[in-house]
Amino acid sequence: MGFWQKLEQMDRRWIYLMVAIAVIVPFIVPADLPISITPEAQMVFDAVEAVPDGSTVFVVFDYYPSTIAECEPMARTALRHFFRKNCKVITLSNIPLGGPSMAEAVSRSVAEEFGKEYGVDFVNLGYKYGYVAVMTGMGTSIESIFPTDNSGTPLSELPLMSKVTNYKDISFIFEVADNSTADYWVSIVNAQYGVPMVCGTTAVGAPKYYAFVAARQFLGLLGGMKGAAEYEILIGHKDDAVKGMGAQSLVHLLIIALVILGNLGYFLGGTGRREKLG
Amino acid sequence: MTGLEIFQIWIIAFFTLALFSFMYKDNPLYKVAEHIFAGLTAGYQVGLVWHTVILQKLWDPMMGGDWWLFIPGILGFLMFARFWEKFSWISRVSLAFVMGVTAGIFLISQLHGLVLPQMQSTMIAASEAIDSSSDDFYYNQGELVLVDGTVEIAESVPATTAPADTLSAVDSLTVADSLADPIPAMVEPPVIEAFPRAILGSTSSDRDSVMVEGLDEVVLRSEFTDTSALAFGEFYAIKFSVKPAEGAPMEIVETNVYAMNGVSVTETAPGRFVAEYAYNPPDSLDAGVYHLGFETERRSVMFLLTIIIVVGVVSTLIYFYFSKEHTGALGVAAKVGIWFIMISFGAHFGYTVMGRVSLLIGRVQFLVEDWIGSFL
Amino acid sequence: MRTTIPIIVAFLSGLVLALAPFFREDNWFGGLKQELTEWLIIVGGFTLLLGVVSITRVNWTAVTRRKEGWGYKVLTLVAVFAMAIPSVLSPEWSTLFGRADGSIYDWLFVNLQSPMMATMFATLAFYIASAAYRAFRARSVEATILLITATLVMLWRVPMGEWILERLPGDIPYLLNTYIMGGANMAVQRGIIIGAALGAASMSLRIILGIERTYMGKG
């Protein structure tokens, strides 16, 4: 068996090991890599900057714990950006698995950094089943959909919510999503109620949402951990996403090398030639 | 770190490694973790629905007087009828209600919120490619203050945006007498930002007029960002003007990014432009305030990108949604569609790799920083 | 009756919501629409419980009949009840009950469920690397287009890769973002969005009109 054939039939666990090493090494030997800002991330930053200070905004936690590594840095950075502008933040989630818990934990920890008070500066509405019903219903009355916050406190007892009736009182929506709920925020809320919005999404979802950016339905887009890293740099608070860029770089280069090797093996090892010959 | 926190980190690390162990081969430890995970996932939803739906949306409001909520309550319970074959048809009523309401919302929102805006965006791009007239007009201005022998430039002026046809809008701005009196921002947050800057020079005064010495030229520099400039051929007409506070402009230079005419314009990064114009002041100038006007006009001529977009959208729709046999002209269009789709799927694959790797990074970050870090 | 009543229910409820955008929200029709959306939240909420009951039944049956791997299924059942029972008990009795910070429910979510779910998905990174090595071949023109695009995008989206691209002639990162992501990719995604949305709208109309009945199942 020739070298290329051996290479083609390499045990997959060697590949797993290489991937593991490529991810671990940059955490042991960190490197400060220059991270460029894409126009879409700049647009997110500019759009949030343009929200008048003190406005009431939504930060929506539409992601599962599975994508916490990509989405949480975005949500965290968005909260920092809004709190820095003294915006009043209302969080909610359409995800029945962990969404409201993550919204609670993240919003409370970021609020603590800024000395923000629950009920006055931020509120977590939590979760209600059926995102289309929730999004449609909040157009008339947020309180009728969420009679209480995530902890069961009636909205009438929260000072921030006394000023908020429906979307008319919401200046901006920052959607962080790892699934198609972002589509419904666009088609139901942005289209029918005209609330401007941006979206931070996983890398898997990002290519699709270029269409929403081009149609100005999203005023900006953060795609995956790189998008989160760009946003962290833009607000001047480097965090987990920036830290992850070293490992991200190394694994991408490894995978590209594997693709090249795989193709070399395919063509030089005879499999490709055999396939072409039929 | 408290004992509980250390215990928690070890628990998380144990189950993380147990799940990763499957990468070597299937084993009992992995199975234990997998089954516990499945159970917890199901259990989480019980707590969530109990509090957010049954208590907050059904029980409490009913006790508060909204007695009619017993109707959706019964509909909800009827869902469980599907566990008994004989009565399972009853659950259809509940399901039909859920489907009906959802369909009602979808019917309009999908057309109004997705189909129309996406088609509109494609058509606008096409129409802009045909009509290259200006669509947006942004202006900004700085001030050259010539007062008793000093040439200065007013501080960076807040960026402004204004509707088209407002070359004269420069006149309507407040004339600043001092540097401490900045010109207020006009309207709306900026889309294009322009910060006029100039090189300072020195002058000597002769009462009413100023002799400009050692000032061969004033470089008027306009830096602007148009992050929405995603399109090839999206060029900028930049008008530099120098005029006294009153009276006719002394000079107006019009140029654009791709046809340099005495103005150097460079794109320093995608969507970021720097335009410089060397202004040679006349030998003498009257003392006073001079406006340096920078007007940036975005002209969308998105030839190439528009062609890509229109051809891409149409050929994709043809490939995916025309069930007629792909032969002849339709076949050619479908073939083009495949190429476009391959590009998009390639991009998607690249992004998917990125996403999956990010998730692994998250776990490794925990293992290296939190777990190993806790005992190092 | 078994199909007529559901069809009437779907028709009436769908009609109200479909017409709602054309009416003011503060009149009786707006009120009706709001009531129905709230009902959907309640009725739909039970569907989540349906899934839990189903999982519990399947696992319970496997345990009682001592099917293969029943020991693991005991763990699943224990986990379901460990998470569910304390969460539905009143937090007034103990801070360990309910869903708040410090409860058993929250502890299990933060320290077990959430990291395990993240790990489950993190393993996909290994599989995708292996798949890229084994299956990503330039077998045809189309496959080559896909491969080249994917490779360029992978390079572009990371700092080290971008550094490499910047050293090549032409502004490749800019071209990638403009013509690949914002051009060809955007066009295809737009085509898919338009098609899918038209499909969803027509399916909605079929459901409201009672033409589409597959959701009811057989019988």
Side-chain angles (χ1 to χ4, degrees), chain A residues 7 10 15-16 36 39-40 66 129 137 139-140 144 150 193 207 210 223 248-249 252 258 262-263 266 275, chain C residues 25 33-34 38 41 44 47 99 109 121 126-127 133-134 136-139 154 157-160 162 177 185:
Chain A
L7 203 68
M10 178 170 61
I15 296 171
Y16 298 166
S36 65
E40 290 74 21
S66 50
Y129 177 87
T140 304
S144 75
N150 186 48
Y193 297 95
Y210 270 78
Q248 190 89 51
S249 293
H252 278 217
L258 286 171
N263 275 281
Y266 174 71
E275 274 186 16
Chain C
E25 285 181 349
K33 163 230 145 188
Q34 189 69 4
E38 289 189 49
I41 292 170
T47 59
R99 292 165 60 232
F109 171 74
F121 279 78
F126 296 108
Y127 297 129
Y133 176 67
R134 289 171 183 283
F136 220 22
R137 302 278 192 262
R139 284 197 173 89
M154 270 191 268
R157 289 302 285 173
V158 288
M160 283 185 205
E162 200 172 9
N177 197 37
N185 164 68

Side-chain angles (χ1 to χ4, degrees), chain A residues 38-57:
Chain A
T38 50
E40 290 74 21
Q42 182 72 46
M43 286 162 75
V44 168
F45 178 80
D46 291 345
V48 175
E49 276 293 292
V51 175
D53 288 6
S55 308
T56 305
V57 299

Side-chain angles (χ1 to χ4, degrees), chain B residues 44 51 92 118 230 232 335, chain C residues 87 105 142 178-179 190 219:
Chain B
Y44 183 92
H51 288 274
R92 285 180 187 170
Q118 290 295 322
L230 298 171
F232 174 83
K335 187 77 181 166
Chain C
S87 71
Y105 180 85
E142 287 83 6
T178 306
Y179 298 110
R190 179 170 279 172

Side-chain angles (χ1 to χ4, degrees), chain B residues 7-8 11-12 15-16 19-20 22-23 28 31-37 39-51 53-54 57-58 68-69 71-72 75-77 79-80 82-83 89 92-108 110-111 114-115 118-119 121-122 230 232 267 270 304-305 308-309 312-313 316-317 320-321 335 338-354 356-357 359-360 363, chain C residues 1-3 5-6 9-10 13-14 17-18 21-22 35-36 38-43 45-50 52-55 57 72-73 75-76 79-80 83-84 87-88 98-99 105 107-109 111-113 115-128 132 136 142 145-146 149-150 153-154 156-157 174 178-198 200-201 204-205 207-208 215-219:
Chain B
F7 172 69
Q8 284 169 182
I11 284 276
I12 299 172
F15 282 107
T16 301
L19 289 171
F20 275 145
F22 184 75
M23 304 316 299
K31 280 204 168 73
V32 166
E34 185 194 24
H35 283 81
I36 291 176
F37 167 70
L40 292 176
T41 302
Y44 183 92
Q45 309 205 17
V46 175
L48 190 69
V49 174
W50 176 258
H51 288 274
V53 176
I54 295 175
K57 295 295 293 177
L58 184 62
W68 57 88
L69 288 178
I71 303 170
L75 282 175
F77 276 110
M79 285 277 190
F80 293 100
R82 58 178 45 232
F83 289 122
W89 70 272
R92 285 180 187 170
V93 180
S94 317
L95 204 57
F97 174 75
V98 173
M99 295 298 282
V101 173
T102 309
I105 295 171
F106 268 30
L107 180 59
I108 302 300
Q110 294 283 308
L111 296 174
L114 296 178
V115 177
Q118 290 295 322
M119 286 174 67
S121 177
T122 313
L230 298 171
F232 174 83
E267 194 170 2
L304 184 56
L305 190 66
I308 291 174
I309 291 171
V313 171
T316 303
L317 283 168
F320 273 131
Y321 303 107
K335 187 77 181 166
I338 292 175
W339 290 339
F340 270 92
I341 290 162
M342 286 300 140
I343 293 174
S344 179
F345 286 1
H348 220 116
F349 183 85
Y351 265 83
T352 303
V353 168
M354 180 184 158
R356 300 306 181 218
V357 172
L359 305 184
L360 179 59
R363 297 319 299 149
Chain C
M1 191 175 79
R2 291 183 176 201
T3 50
I5 294 174
V9 169
S13 56
L17 269 294
F22 305 103
E35 196 64 41
L36 289 186
E38 289 189 49
W39 287 17
L40 174 61
I41 292 170
I42 297 167
V43 180
F46 282 86
T47 59
L48 285 179
L49 293 182
L50 209 61
V52 181
V53 172
S54 186
I55 285 176
R57 270 166 53 114
Y72 295 118
K73 296 186 193 314
L75 288 176
T76 304
V80 171
M83 194 84 164
S87 71
V88 299
R99 292 165 60 232
Y105 180 85
W107 192 92
L108 288 173
F109 171 74
N111 296 295
L112 288 175
Q113 203 279 338
M116 280 206 267
M117 193 172 189
T119 310
M120 285 277 194
F121 279 78
T123 55
L124 295 175
F126 296 108
Y127 297 129
I128 208 163
F136 220 22
E142 287 83 6
I145 294 173
L146 192 138
T149 315
V153 168
M154 270 191 268
W156 166 57
R157 289 302 285 173
Y174 175 56
T178 306
Y179 298 110
I180 301 297
M181 295 313 299
N185 164 68
M186 196 283 285
V188 170
Q189 297 299 335
R190 179 170 279 172
I192 294 172
I193 290 169
I194 291 171
L198 283 171
S204 300
L205 193 60
I207 289 170
I208 294 169
Y215 67 88
M216 290 189 209
K218 292 175 190 166

